[in-house]
């Protein structure tokens, strides 16, 4: 990439001028929704504990409590994944509009709900499953370590597989980082096509994106120190910078009309991806 991360951040700050109110509002809405879900999870777990202390449907108290808690956790995780999957496209849409000097509205936050919601959920699920594949060696070693009572060799293997997990997830996330942006701009594209285009875009650019993400670590720590309040301003800055990065990186052909979709010849049909 020819442009520096410093220049991208400078552009992001300039684009955010006059739009911070909208961006802070978006963060407040998302934070409120996540907080509501977390509160529901907490009270559901509390109720499960109370109900599980006795006998339910003939089950012993501990067993009933365990089953209810597992069910609540599973439902809560699914709900969180769905919400994140559907609100993320809207968030990216807002920042893409800001980056391209187009009108951005709070209603854009519902973009993912109105445009191919199942495909956006599918994209998030596939990325999550890819990350989970990297965790398999770690959890296998962890299970063996439990059985062998954590003998020294297993502890070493645990450390190695955990490092491999971190490296694998990091590299994978860099490769697919642009898939959601691509999908937002072209929701009619297939999930795997967006992933493939993201991989193509990131060839030779993973280091620059990694550096940009790393450069925000200081602000992330500041957000923790402020009990999360500073994130209302930090997150817009990060999103705006990543939107600038995407617009700088993307090839024009991604947004050009695909002529072969209107061509019924065998060769053009063969090239279509689903």
């Amino acid at each position: 990439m020819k442009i520096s991360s410093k220049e991208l951040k400078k552009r992001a700050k300039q684009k955010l001028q006059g739009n911070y109110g909208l961006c802070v509002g978006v963060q407040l809405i998302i934070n409120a929704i996540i907080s509501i879900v977390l509160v529901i999870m907490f009270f559901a777990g509390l109720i499960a504990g109370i109900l599980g202390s006795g006998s339910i449907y003939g089950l012993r108290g501990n067993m009933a409590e365990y089953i209810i808690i597992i069910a609540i956790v599973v439902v809560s995780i699914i709900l969180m994944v769905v919400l994140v999957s559907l609100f993320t496209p809207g968030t990216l849409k807002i920042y893409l509009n800001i980056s391209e000097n187009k009108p951005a509205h709070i209603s854009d936050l519902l973009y993912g709900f109105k445009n191919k919601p199942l495909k956006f959920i599918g994209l998030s699920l596939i990325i999550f499953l890819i990350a989970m594949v990297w965790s398999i060696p770690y959890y296998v070693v962890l299970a063996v370590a439990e059985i062998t009572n954590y003998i020294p060799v297993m502890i070493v293997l645990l450390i190695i597989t955990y490092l491999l997990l971190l490296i694998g997830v990091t590299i994978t996330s860099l490769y697919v980082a642009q898939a959601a942006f691509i999908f937002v701009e072209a929701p009619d594209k297939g999930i795997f096509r967006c992933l493939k285009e993201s991989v193509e875009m990131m060839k030779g650019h993973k280091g620059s994106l990694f550096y940009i993400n790393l450069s925000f670590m200081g602000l992330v720590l500041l957000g923790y120190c402020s009990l999360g309040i500073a994130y209302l301003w930090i997150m817009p800055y990060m999103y705006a910078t990543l939107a600038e990065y995407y617009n700088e990186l993307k090839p024009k052909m991604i947004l050009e009309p695909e002529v072969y979709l209107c061509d019924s010849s065998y060769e053009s049909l063969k090239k279509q991806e689903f």
Side-chain angles (χ1 to χ4, degrees):
M1 176 175 288
K2 297 179 180 180
I3 191 170
S4 66
S5 60
K6 183 178 180 180
E7 179 62 27
L8 289 175
K9 290 182 177 181
K10 181 180 178 181
R11 287 186 187 178
K13 289 179 180 178
Q14 292 174 343
K15 298 290 180 63
L16 284 172
Q17 291 180 4
N19 289 300
Y20 258 114
L22 170 64
C23 296
V24 170
V26 168
Q27 285 304 126
L28 284 172
I29 292 173
I30 293 175
N31 291 346
I33 293 172
I34 292 177
S35 297
I36 291 172
V37 173
L38 291 175
V39 169
I40 292 174
M41 289 170 59
F42 171 77
F43 281 106
L46 184 63
I47 294 172
I50 295 173
L51 295 176
S53 60
S55 177
I56 301 179
Y57 301 117
L59 295 174
R60 286 170 32 176
N62 291 338
M63 178 63 72
E65 180 180 358
Y66 181 77
I67 293 174
I68 294 174
I69 290 177
I70 290 296
I72 290 173
V73 169
V74 170
V75 171
S76 300
I77 290 175
I78 293 174
L79 180 60
M80 288 294 289
V81 169
V82 170
L83 288 175
V84 170
S85 300
L86 294 180
F87 277 114
T88 296
T91 303
L92 297 183
K93 179 67 174 177
I94 289 172
Y95 286 98
L96 282 174
N97 286 345
I98 291 174
S99 176
E100 297 169 359
N101 295 313
K102 296 178 180 178
H105 308 282
I106 197 71
S107 59
D108 292 331
L109 192 56
L110 299 178
Y111 182 84
F113 291 85
K114 300 175 181 179
N115 297 274
K116 314 289 184 180
L118 293 181
K119 292 175 75 172
F120 281 117
I121 294 173
L123 177 63
S124 298
L125 182 60
I126 289 173
I127 293 175
F128 174 76
L129 291 176
I130 292 173
M132 287 300 296
V133 169
W134 283 105
S135 69
I136 292 175
Y138 172 76
Y139 285 111
V140 170
V141 173
L142 180 62
V144 176
E146 287 278 0
I147 296 172
T148 57
N149 200 24
Y150 292 94
I151 59 177
V153 66
M154 296 310 302
I155 294 177
V156 173
L157 287 175
L158 270 176
I159 295 174
I160 293 174
T161 53
Y162 184 72
L163 290 175
L164 289 174
L165 169 61
L166 290 179
I167 294 171
V169 170
T170 299
I171 293 175
T172 300
S173 64
L174 291 173
Y175 267 119
V176 302
Q178 310 308 321
F181 281 110
I182 295 171
F183 216 165
V184 167
E185 292 202 300
D188 288 328
K189 287 186 177 181
I191 295 174
F192 291 103
R193 172 149 192 190
C194 291
L195 291 170
K196 181 180 178 181
E197 288 186 1
S198 178
V199 171
E200 291 295 326
M201 288 176 67
M202 291 306 299
K203 286 182 178 178
H205 301 289
K206 295 181 291 298
S208 60
L209 181 58
F210 179 78
Y211 176 78
I212 289 175
N213 290 331
L214 193 63
S215 68
F216 284 116
M217 289 305 297
L219 290 177
V220 171
L221 293 176
L222 177 63
Y224 278 115
C225 295
S226 66
L227 301 178
I229 296 176
Y231 282 128
L232 293 175
W233 290 269
I234 294 172
M235 294 306 295
Y237 181 32
M238 293 175 65
Y239 273 119
T241 302
L242 293 176
E244 291 296 323
Y245 181 88
Y246 168 74
N247 279 326
E248 184 68 25
L249 187 63
K250 69 181 179 182
K252 294 183 182 298
M253 67 178 200
I254 287 183
L255 300 181
E256 287 179 354
E258 300 176 61
V259 178
Y260 69 81
L261 289 178
C262 300
D263 185 356
S264 59
S265 66
Y266 173 76
E267 288 77 15
S268 61
L269 290 173
K270 187 178 180 181
K271 292 179 182 178
Q272 293 186 29
E273 297 181 38
F274 300 93

